[in-house]
Amino acid sequence: MTDDRKATVPVWTLATGDVRVPAVTGDEPMTAERLAELRGVLAALADQPIATLEAHPLPDKLDRGRGISLDAASPLAQHLSQLITQSARGSATAATATGGGEALYRMVIPAKVAAQLGQGTVRSMMAKGAKGEIYGSFVNSAGKIVANAKFEQVGTVAAAGAAGGAGATAGVALAGSAALTVAAPLVLMAVAVGMSAHADQKRQRAIERITELLEQLHEDRLVDERRQLEGCRFAIDKATAILLDEGKLGVSLGLDSAAHAIGTALIDAEGRLRGWQSALDNLPEDAAVEIAALAKSFPGIDEDGGTFRTHLELASLAIALQRRVVTLQAVEHAQSDPGNLFENFTRALKRDQKRLDELESGIAGVLVRLSALELARPNGLRPVFTPGEVDRLMRAAHRIRRLGDGVTVDGRTTDVAIEIARDTDGSVVVFPALSVVA
C-alpha cells in the first residue's frame, strides 16, 4: 500500500476452521476503514479465528534483514503460492496483483483473535518511530494505514477438518475444494514466524543495550549472564528452521539446554522484580526520597548505565528468548494434531505466555512507580548546595522520570499485522509482527 496509488487491491478472508464465514462484504470495493470494520464483524460473528490477507506492490526499498527468510519449498511459501494460483483463476483483480510473482502480502489478525496469542506479545508490538521499528510502506509513525487503495474481496478460504492440517496440500481437501486446505496452515505459519521475528528483534535490541552498559560496568558476573543467554540463540534458530519445515525436534539440537538457561535467567529476573517491588513498598508514602537511599535497592539508577538498568535489559533479553521458545513449543504442539491446528496453537501459546506477561507487567509497574517518585535533597550540615550537587540532583531526577517513558502497564489489544514479501522465485521474507492502531 502506498500514499499515491489508488489501485484496487485484492483481499482474502482466511478462516482457520471449517466454518461458515458471514457474507458481510457486498460486491463493491472497500475502503481501508471499511475493511477494518469488516475484520471486527467477522471476528465477532465467526466461531473460528478469521484473518484477512491483502496483496500490494512490493516496495522498491525493503530492509529484508529485519525478517525471517524462507525458501520457495517451505510450507508457508507453498501454502501462499497455492492461494495465489487458485485465486488468480477466478479473479482478474487477484491475477493482476499477483501475476508478476512479486508482492507484499499483509495478513491482519483481528484484536479479538490476537488476544488469544498472549497479552504481552500483542501489547509490545506498537510502532515506536524512526529506528527501523516500522517496516514496509503500509503504516505511518503511529501505526496507522496511510494508503488510498480500494480493497476487493476475491475469495474466502477455510480449513476443512484434518485436511487443513500443517502438512495439507492442494488436492487432498474435503468436498473436492483444493482451496480448503490452505488457510489454517498459512495463518499458523505466518503468525508463528511473525511473532518469532518480533521476539528476535527485541533480543537484538536488548543485546545491543546490554553490551553498551557492560562496557561501562566491567561486571564479569553480568557478562556471563549475557553470554549464556545469547548462546541460546543458535539452538533456537535451528529449531525454528526445522519446525517451519514441519520437521521434528531432537535432543541433539540443544534446545533443552537453551530452555534451561533461559528458565534460570527468568527465575533471576523474577527474584529481582520481587526485590524491587518490596523496596518500593517500603518507601515512606507521600515523602521525597534521597538518591542515596534509592540507589541501595536500585544501584546505578541515577546514572546513564548502572547495574539496575543492566538487570532490566537482561530480563528483557530472557523474555524475548523465551517468547521464541514458547512459540516453537506451540507450533510443535499444533503440528502434532493436524486436525486441531490453530486451536492447539493458541491454547498452548496463551497458557505458556501467562508467566511472561506477568513478569513484563510487573517490571513495567516498577518503572512507572519509580518515574513518579519525588527526589529529596541530601541531608547534611551545609545549608546550601554546590552547583555540582544541584546538577547531579537535576540529572538524576530527569533520568528517573524517563524510566516510565513508553511503558504500557495494561494496554488494549489491537489488530496485529504480519507482512510477507514474496519474490518471483516463490521465496518469502516474513517481517516482525506489528500492532495496528486504528
Side-chain angles (χ1 to χ4, degrees):
M1 198 185 307
T2 62
D3 289 330
D4 300 324
R5 295 172 182 165
K6 296 185 179 181
T8 301
V9 172
V11 56
W12 295 263
T13 303
L14 308 179
T16 58
D18 190 10
V19 296
R20 182 179 180 83
V21 179
V24 294
T25 59
D27 297 327
E28 297 298 321
M30 299 173 285
T31 62
E33 292 76 12
R34 173 61 181 144
L35 179 60
E37 293 173 0
L38 168 65
R39 283 193 291 267
V41 171
L42 289 175
L45 297 182
D47 57 1
Q48 294 285 344
I50 300 289
T52 58
L53 181 72
E54 310 152 18
H56 301 268
L58 195 64
D60 296 332
K61 296 181 179 180
L62 195 62
D63 183 5
R64 297 168 186 265
R66 291 176 293 103
I68 293 178
S69 300
L70 301 171
D71 62 34
S74 65
L76 188 152
Q78 290 182 345
H79 292 311
L80 183 60
S81 295
Q82 290 172 20
L83 177 64
I84 294 167
T85 301
Q86 293 156 4
S87 301
R89 294 172 185 159
S91 168
T93 301
T96 300
T98 62
E102 289 186 344
L104 187 61
Y105 293 86
R106 187 177 198 250
M107 182 180 293
V108 179
I109 313 296
K112 177 184 175 182
V113 180
Q116 303 175 37
L117 307 179
Q119 179 186 1
T121 302
V122 176
R123 186 182 61 225
S124 59
M125 290 178 186
M126 301 299 293
K128 297 292 184 184
K131 285 196 173 182
E133 298 188 14
I134 296 172
Y135 54 91
S137 56
F138 291 86
V139 293
N140 61 16
S141 59
K144 186 174 181 179
I145 297 174
V146 295
N148 297 315
K150 295 287 186 178
F151 300 86
E152 179 177 316
Q153 183 153 344
V154 297
T156 299
V157 186
T169 56
V172 295
L174 301 181
S177 174
L180 292 181
T181 64
V182 176
L186 177 59
V187 175
L188 168 70
M189 290 293 183
V191 170
V193 184
M195 289 173 62
S196 185
H198 172 75
D200 195 58
Q201 191 177 61
K202 293 188 71 175
R203 176 198 64 80
Q204 292 176 28
R205 293 196 197 107
I207 280 293
E208 290 170 0
R209 290 191 290 256
I210 292 170
T211 301
E212 182 178 347
L213 291 170
L214 288 177
E215 287 175 353
Q216 303 171 28
L217 278 177
H218 304 290
E219 176 60 64
D220 291 340
R221 184 177 60 82
L222 295 179
V223 169
D224 288 340
E225 283 191 43
R226 181 202 62 184
R227 286 174 178 166
Q228 289 178 12
L229 281 174
E230 181 63 357
C232 299
R233 177 174 62 91
F234 303 104
I236 293 174
D237 286 347
K238 282 187 247 181
T240 301
I242 289 173
L243 275 181
L244 294 180
D245 283 338
E246 295 175 351
K248 300 293 184 182
L249 298 182
V251 178
S252 62
L253 283 175
L255 191 60
D256 289 346
S257 299
H260 174 74
I262 297 168
T264 300
L266 289 173
I267 291 173
D268 289 340
E270 288 167 340
R272 287 163 181 161
L273 173 60
R274 287 191 295 270
W276 298 335
Q277 290 170 331
S278 177
L280 287 170
D281 291 340
N282 291 330
L283 291 177
E285 294 185 11
D286 302 323
V289 182
E290 286 190 44
I291 296 177
L294 197 61
K296 289 180 181 179
S297 299
F298 304 91
I301 192 172
D302 58 330
E303 303 169 2
D304 285 331
T307 301
F308 172 62
R309 283 177 169 79
T310 306
H311 284 164
L312 288 175
E313 296 303 338
L314 285 168
S316 177
L317 175 58
I319 291 170
L321 288 168
Q322 183 64 10
R323 288 204 187 278
R324 287 197 69 184
V325 171
V326 167
T327 302
L328 291 175
Q329 292 169 338
V331 171
E332 184 179 33
H333 188 56
Q335 290 183 162
S336 67
D337 184 5
N340 190 21
L341 186 67
F342 203 81
E343 291 87 348
N344 270 346
F345 175 72
T346 54
R347 187 161 50 243
L349 194 63
K350 186 174 182 180
R351 181 184 63 246
D352 293 337
Q353 295 274 18
K354 183 179 179 182
R355 178 189 179 192
L356 300 178
D357 294 343
E358 290 175 349
L359 176 57
E360 209 164 41
S361 296
I363 292 173
V366 166
L367 294 177
V368 170
R369 291 175 68 182
L370 283 170
S371 68
L373 290 177
E374 179 185 352
L375 295 184
R377 55 183 290 178
N379 290 323
L381 299 176
R382 289 182 294 108
V384 179
F385 281 141
T386 67
E389 289 172 331
V390 172
D391 288 344
R392 184 193 174 199
L393 183 61
M394 294 293 291
R395 286 196 302 270
H398 178 67
R399 291 186 182 113
I400 292 173
R401 278 198 300 270
R402 289 188 59 190
L403 288 172
D405 290 352
V407 173
T408 304
V409 178
D410 189 22
R412 66 184 179 88
T413 305
T414 67
D415 293 352
V416 174
I418 300 162
E419 291 179 7
I420 306 170
R422 184 177 187 267
D423 290 320
T424 53
D425 63 357
S427 62
V428 297
V429 177
V430 185
F431 294 96
L434 178 71
S435 186
V436 178
V437 180

